[in-house]
């Protein structure tokens, strides 16, 4: 029996590592557009606002399929959905190279063509994190879920950190078009590996015990649990509404960094491309490190104080510090001080970020994929707005004001966290699913 447990733990570890790598490549693939952006702007004489529209096209597609993507994970299983995500993302990453001239840009125009490619990439990538949330619930014990989700989400930071340095180097060697193709090939290989190795539940995996619990979730499904809860129940739950609106603020805050910080450092703070890439890498390394740390902090604080107080303390505290650090970073005179403060701002938002996911998984009951999809869709509405609104604010009031608005968004997220009560799971009707509280949960 101990050998079976050991094998299951090993397989679980490998699956978490694969989810982490999918997260890394997802953020690498989405970040490289902002790295190639300045070159594309100069090559084709595009405006900042036009390029911001291209950036937002990805986020639009990402947000549109986020909620259906979570439901797909609940219905078809995370193994197939994540494989589709990886292969679809690889396809549209490769096709981005054809979005300019020569290519589809010669027919439709560069901006419309790039919008189509990035929209397709966003649609393909959308199921990633809700599906990882479903896989987390299927494979990981309750006491370790926040740290696992933190590790998976930390892949975003590593992908964003590696992208500036590696992609700048690739562009200098083979140009931005072929560099997109290289990224696509790695993503496709990872998707094939995921599908070949993983299974939806421990009991289905050939390397784990045949007696393994097929769904180690902290609730007992009602016999009719295969009938999904109606959207009315999910979309009117107070916790889901607050988490979704709060994550919208997180999305707005973070997407300023994802799409405009490299440009800001180079064009506004007048750094060289190499310096901008280095400092952007430092920002995202901080983001990834504190994302992973946030999962451990969340589990520790929740274990000590209970879900209601613990999640509020970590989630609200992270966003409150983010607002303060970004405001201070904008006003810092030296580049080193500015980047340090902005790194802390992005890192503290990462600590809050993973707490949103842990709370969503806890309150979701039997609809983890769907609830995670709803919450993440809110985050990507914020991410849809930030790339376009930031240069518009900057054009009228300057880039400092555009970043101040990010601080305001974080402050609003802080306030929304104060209403979240993760001890109250979604109240499904008797005819659907009745989640039961696990022993020992507060």
């Amino acid at each position: 029996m101990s050998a079976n447990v050991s094998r299951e733990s090993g397989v679980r570890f490998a699956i978490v590592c694969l989810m982490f790598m999918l997260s890394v490549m997802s953020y690498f693939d989405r970040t490289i557009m902002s790295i190639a952006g300045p070159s594309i702007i100069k090559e084709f004489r595009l405006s900042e606002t036009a390029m911001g529209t291209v950036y937002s096209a990805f986020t639009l597609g990402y947000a549109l399929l986020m909620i259906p993507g979570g439901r797909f994970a609940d219905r078809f299983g995370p193994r197939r959905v994540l494989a589709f995500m990886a292969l679809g993302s690889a396809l549209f990453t490769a096709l981005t190279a054809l979005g300019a001239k020569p290519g589809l840009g010669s027919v439709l125009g560069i901006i419309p063509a790039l919008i189509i490619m990035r929209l397709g990439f966003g649609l393909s990538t959308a199921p990633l994190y809700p599906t990882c949330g479903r896989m987390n619930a299927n494979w990981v014990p309750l006491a370790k879920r926040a740290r696992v989700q933190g590790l998976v989400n930390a892949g975003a930071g590593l992908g964003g950190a590696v992208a500036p340095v590696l992609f700048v180097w690739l562009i200098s060697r083979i140009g931005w078009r072929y560099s997109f193709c290289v990224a696509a090939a790695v993503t496709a290989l990872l998707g094939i590996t995921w599908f070949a190795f993983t299974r939806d539940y421990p009991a289905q995996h050939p390397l784990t015990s045949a007696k393994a619990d097929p769904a180690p979730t902290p609730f007992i499904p009602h016999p009719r649990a295969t009938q999904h809860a109606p959207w009315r129940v999910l979309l009117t739950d107070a916790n889901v509404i607050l988490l979704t609106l709060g994550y919208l603020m997180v999305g707005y805050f973070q997407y300023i960094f994802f799409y405009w910080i490299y440009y800001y450092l180079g064009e506004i703070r007048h750094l060289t491309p190499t310096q901008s890439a280095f400092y952007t890498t430092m920002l995202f390394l901080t983001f990834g490190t504190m994302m992973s740390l946030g999962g451990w902090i969340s589990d520790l604080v929740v274990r000590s104080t209970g879900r209601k107080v613990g999640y509020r303390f970590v989630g609200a505290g992270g966003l409150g510090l983010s607002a303060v650090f970004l405001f201070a970073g904008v006003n810092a005179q030296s580049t080193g001080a500015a980047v340090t403060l902005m790194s802390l701002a992005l890192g503290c938002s990462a600590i809050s970020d993973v707490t949103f996911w842990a709370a969503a998984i806890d309150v979701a009951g039997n609809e983890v994929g769907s609830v995670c999809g709803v919450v993440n869709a809110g985050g990507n509405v914020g991410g849809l707005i930030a790339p376009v609104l930031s240069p518009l604010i900057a054009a009228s009031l300057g880039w400092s004001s555009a970043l101040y608005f990010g601080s305001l968004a974080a402050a609003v997220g802080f306030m929304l966290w104060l209403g979240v009560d993760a001890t109250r799971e979604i109240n499904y009707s008797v005819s659907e699913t009745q989640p039961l509280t696990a022993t020992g949960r507060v």
Side-chain angles (χ1 to χ4, degrees), residues 59-250:
T59 315
L60 175 61
Y62 195 61
L64 285 175
L65 206 62
M66 186 64 59
I67 297 175
R71 183 55 63 92
F72 292 158
D74 288 333
R75 181 172 181 182
F76 299 111
R79 179 189 179 217
R80 284 184 285 182
V81 174
L82 281 179
F84 165 83
M85 182 282 303
L87 295 176
S89 298
L91 173 64
F92 282 101
T93 297
L95 289 175
T96 302
L98 301 177
K101 296 178 181 178
L104 190 59
S106 301
V107 180
L108 300 179
I110 294 170
I111 293 300
L114 288 175
I115 285 175
I116 290 172
M117 300 307 178
R118 299 306 286 179
L119 182 65
F121 175 65
L123 290 169
S124 300
T125 308
L128 173 60
Y129 291 108
T131 307
C132 286
R134 177 73 265 177
M135 198 71 171
N136 190 350
N138 288 359
W139 277 84
V140 179
L142 174 65
K144 298 181 179 179
R145 286 184 188 164
R147 71 191 70 175
V148 166
Q149 197 66 40
L151 180 63
V152 172
N153 289 9
L158 181 59
V162 171
V165 174
L166 182 56
F167 208 67
V168 165
W169 179 82
L170 279 173
I171 290 174
S172 70
R173 296 299 188 274
I174 59 176
W176 67 268
R177 292 172 178 83
Y178 287 116
S179 298
F180 273 94
C181 294
V182 171
V186 176
T187 304
L189 179 61
L190 187 58
I192 293 169
T193 302
W194 167 268
F195 188 77
F197 179 77
T198 65
R199 298 295 184 271
D200 290 328
Y201 295 103
Q204 297 172 346
H205 203 286
L207 298 180
T208 59
S209 170
K211 296 181 180 180
D213 181 6
T217 49
F219 56 85
I220 301 173
H222 187 274
R224 295 182 62 191
T226 54
Q227 299 179 7
H228 290 292
W231 286 114
R232 176 184 57 81
V233 175
L234 300 179
L235 299 179
T236 58
D237 180 80
N239 278 328
V240 174
I241 292 171
L242 289 168
L243 288 170
T244 302
L245 291 176
Y247 207 52
L248 186 152
M249 301 303 161
V250 172

Side-chain angles (χ1 to χ4, degrees), residues 13-34:
F13 177 77
I15 287 173
V16 171
C17 288
L18 283 171
M19 289 194 293
F20 173 78
M21 289 306 301
L22 287 168
S23 180
V24 169
M25 284 311 301
S26 173
Y27 264 78
F28 186 92
D29 291 344
R30 71 181 73 180
T31 303
I32 57 179
M33 192 66 199
S34 67

